[in-house]
Amino acid sequence: LLNNKRMPKTQLIAHDKEVYDIAFASGVHVFASVGADGSMRLFDLRSLEHSTIVYESSETAPGTIAPLIRLAWNKQDPNYLATVTMDSSKVVILDIRVPSMPAAILDGHTHCVNALSWAPHSSCHVCTAADDSQALIWDLSQMPRPIEDPILAYRAEAEVNQVQWSKSQPDWIAICFNKTLQILRV
């Protein structure tokens, strides 16, 4: 937050290591962050003195916690977030009403997930992109039952580095790989 002199109003110190990503919830005063300490923390703009740890990744080896590197908030339902662990092919879906327990784990990629984006028009669709050159769209409407397979898959020519779902044109998703940007109709 900036004060009227364009200087930080406050500096938040919550994570024990580097912070890798942040995301704001739609229509509320809440945002979340993830970092190298393997935690996802919720903050409220009205009370920045405190944060709440809602999820911690598991140990990759004794005493070593897997960093969380990406975070995306469901654009339609602020109870749901998605996160990605470093060097993981899985995406963890969280319901902040039931902290610490994943609501679903999306396990359709064969290589590291790099990006994710929730549908702007639907509370139950998310797109994930990974080093396996795939962009996958998942339907989460069957939760809490396990989500086994994506409903749509696209294979790019190389590792997909980023994905964005258009807010104004929800039938379109953009992906980036190599020196290429592709716009996909879904």
Side-chain angles (χ1 to χ4, degrees):
L1 297 170
L2 298 177
N3 62 18
N4 57 2
K5 296 179 184 177
R6 301 237 181 244
M7 300 296 293
K9 181 179 174 182
T10 189
Q11 181 174 344
L12 306 176
I13 300 173
H15 289 275
D16 298 327
K17 295 182 179 178
E18 291 175 272
V19 176
Y20 291 135
D21 204 2
I22 63 169
F24 284 88
S26 296
V28 294
H29 302 279
V30 178
F31 65 98
S33 62
V34 293
D37 62 1
S39 70
M40 177 185 291
R41 296 170 184 261
L42 290 186
F43 298 86
D44 189 317
L45 290 170
R46 297 164 296 185
S47 177
L48 293 172
E49 301 82 34
H50 307 285
S51 67
T52 303
I53 298 174
V54 293
Y55 180 72
E56 290 184 292
S57 64
S58 57
E59 290 187 1
T60 55
T64 304
I65 299 293
L68 296 174
I69 60 167
R70 293 288 170 263
L71 166 69
W73 217 299
N74 187 315
K75 294 172 176 75
Q76 295 293 317
D77 186 343
N79 291 311
Y80 290 98
L81 293 120
T83 190
V84 177
T85 304
M86 184 179 284
D87 298 328
S88 175
S89 61
K90 299 175 184 174
V91 174
V92 176
I93 305 297
L94 300 167
D95 182 341
I96 62 171
R97 298 168 295 188
V98 187
S100 302
M101 294 284 299
I105 295 177
L106 308 180
D107 190 13
H109 289 284
T110 57
H111 292 78
C112 301
V113 175
N114 296 320
L116 44 98
S117 183
W118 288 91
H121 64 293
S122 167
S123 64
C124 60
H125 292 94
V126 64
C127 184
T128 60
D131 281 354
D132 61 5
S133 305
Q134 292 191 93
L136 304 176
I137 296 179
W138 302 85
D139 181 354
L140 307 180
S141 62
Q142 300 303 312
M143 289 191 315
R145 291 193 335 225
I147 310 300
E148 308 247 337
D149 295 307
I151 58 169
L152 197 64
Y154 176 79
R155 182 167 298 279
E157 297 169 17
E159 300 168 346
V160 182
N161 299 313
Q162 186 58 274
V163 60
Q164 290 294 320
W165 206 314
S166 173
K167 183 176 182 177
S168 61
Q169 302 290 325
D171 290 343
W172 295 93
I173 291 177
I175 62 169
C176 300
F177 58 91
N178 285 344
K179 296 185 280 182
T180 304
L181 167 82
Q182 285 187 344
I183 310 296
L184 311 172
R185 187 173 194 123
V186 294

